[in-house]
Amino acid sequence: MSANLKYLSLGILVFQTTSLVLTMRYSRTLKEEGPRYLSSTAVVIAELLKILACVLLVYKDSKCNLRTLNRVLHDEILNKPMETLKLAIPSGIYTLQNNLLYVALSNLDAATYQVTYQLKILTTALFSVSMLSKKLGVYQWLSLVILMTGVAFVQWPSDSQATAAKEHSAGSQFVGLIAVLIACFSSGFAGVYFEKILKETKQSVWIRNIQLVSFSSEPSL
């Protein structure tokens, strides 16, 4: 049962990741009359949906009791300001990252973006080694080298890019590349920082996510 759940979760994650990129890319390049939606608005709505989902999960863990939910939120968030304040740094970084992803997808094609953004695996590994003192094996380092090589090949100029150049100028492609690279580093650092906080405390991941979103909502707005 656990193995089936693991592969089901993996399949859902792959579908969610690819479909998100394609829909974001389509929505940012769709040519219609009238102004295009603000990417910052999409980020704010996503944060609100995230905090709603986390509150519902805490409510479920509280045995669907509103009084217990209110007590848990009060005790874990309001009564622990220093613990909550620890999430201010990654929340700001995540806000920057989410906005940069829209900039990147507005200036890069979906395939180039998707492959280049996988560099976050490399940055996460490097931050894990430096911040969490994790040790990577030979095969893991080899996998990271292969990943970097693949991303380099994707960015290598080719004849097929002449067609893409009609849609995006060289300047806009450079902006998109810089945006996705900054997003990779911010994703790696914020992810490892968040993992470090989770390991050092006993608070649930749902409470931590509520604390995270409570800080990211203000800069998003």
Side-chain angles (χ1 to χ4, degrees), residues 85-87 89-90 131 188-198:
L85 195 60
K86 290 180 180 179
L87 276 300
I89 295 175
M131 296 174 62
F189 174 78
V192 174
Y193 186 94
F194 188 54
E195 180 183 352
K196 182 178 176 65
I197 292 176
L198 287 175

Side-chain angles (χ1 to χ4, degrees), residues 100-113:
L100 285 174
L101 295 183
Y102 278 96
V103 175
L105 274 170
S106 300
N107 294 280
L108 296 173
D109 61 271
T112 302
Y113 163 85

Side-chain angles (χ1 to χ4, degrees), residues 118-134:
Q118 298 312 307
L119 278 177
K120 66 181 180 180
I121 300 174
L122 172 64
T123 59
T124 301
L126 294 177
F127 282 119
S128 296
V129 171
S130 60
M131 296 174 62
L132 300 178
S133 300
K134 285 188 175 181

Side-chain angles (χ1 to χ4, degrees), residues 164-204:
K166 296 179 182 179
E167 184 178 359
H168 298 293
S169 65
S172 65
Q173 288 181 340
F174 178 75
V175 170
L177 180 61
I178 293 299
V180 76
L181 288 178
I182 295 175
C184 287
F185 278 95
S186 63
S187 174
F189 174 78
V192 174
Y193 186 94
F194 188 54
E195 180 183 352
K196 182 178 176 65
I197 292 176
L198 287 175
K199 289 182 175 181
E200 291 177 349
T201 59
K202 296 181 179 180
Q203 289 177 310
S204 70

Side-chain angles (χ1 to χ4, degrees), residues 121-122 125 134-146:
I121 300 174
L122 172 64
K134 285 188 175 181
K135 294 183 179 180
L136 301 181
V138 176
Y139 290 112
Q140 291 172 314
W141 283 114
L142 181 61
S143 299
L144 293 175
V145 171
I146 294 174

Side-chain angles (χ1 to χ4, degrees), residues 84-88 91 95 210-219:
T84 304
L85 195 60
K86 290 180 180 179
L87 276 300
S91 65
T95 302
I210 293 174
Q211 294 172 327
L212 194 67
V213 177
S214 64
F215 280 109
S216 61
S217 299
E218 290 79 7

Side-chain angles (χ1 to χ4, degrees), residues 15-176:
F15 174 78
Q16 184 266 337
T17 303
T18 53
S19 60
L20 176 63
V21 171
L22 293 175
T23 51
M24 285 174 62
R25 168 66 181 165
Y26 178 75
S27 67
R28 296 305 292 171
T29 57
L30 182 63
K31 295 181 180 179
E32 286 189 348
E33 296 183 359
R36 184 183 298 171
Y37 72 90
L38 294 174
S39 59
S40 55
T41 303
V43 172
V44 170
I45 293 174
E47 293 299 310
L48 293 177
L49 290 174
K50 188 187 301 180
I51 195 169
L52 176 61
C54 290
V55 169
L56 288 175
L57 287 167
V58 175
Y59 176 68
K60 179 179 177 294
D61 291 341
S62 303
K63 298 180 181 180
C64 300
N65 188 304
L66 286 175
R67 183 173 296 179
T68 305
L69 171 65
N70 182 61
R71 179 177 55 80
V72 169
L73 294 178
H74 189 273
D75 292 344
E76 297 295 334
I77 298 177
L78 297 180
N79 286 351
K80 296 180 180 179
M82 295 308 297
E83 288 295 323
T84 304
L85 195 60
K86 290 180 180 179
L87 276 300
I89 295 175
S91 65
I93 295 175
Y94 276 131
T95 302
L96 172 66
Q97 172 196 329
N98 291 334
N99 283 279
L100 285 174
L101 295 183
Y102 278 96
V103 175
L105 274 170
S106 300
N107 294 280
L108 296 173
D109 61 271
T112 302
Y113 163 85
Q114 186 74 302
V115 175
T116 307
Y117 191 48
Q118 298 312 307
L119 278 177
K120 66 181 180 180
I121 300 174
L122 172 64
T123 59
T124 301
L126 294 177
F127 282 119
S128 296
V129 171
S130 60
M131 296 174 62
L132 300 178
S133 300
K134 285 188 175 181
K135 294 183 179 180
L136 301 181
V138 176
Y139 290 112
Q140 291 172 314
W141 283 114
L142 181 61
S143 299
L144 293 175
V145 171
I146 294 174
L147 173 66
M148 287 190 295
T149 305
V151 172
F153 276 124
V154 168
Q155 298 297 334
W156 194 269
S158 63
D159 296 334
S160 61
Q161 288 184 337
T163 304
K166 296 179 182 179
E167 184 178 359
H168 298 293
S169 65
S172 65
Q173 288 181 340
F174 178 75
V175 170

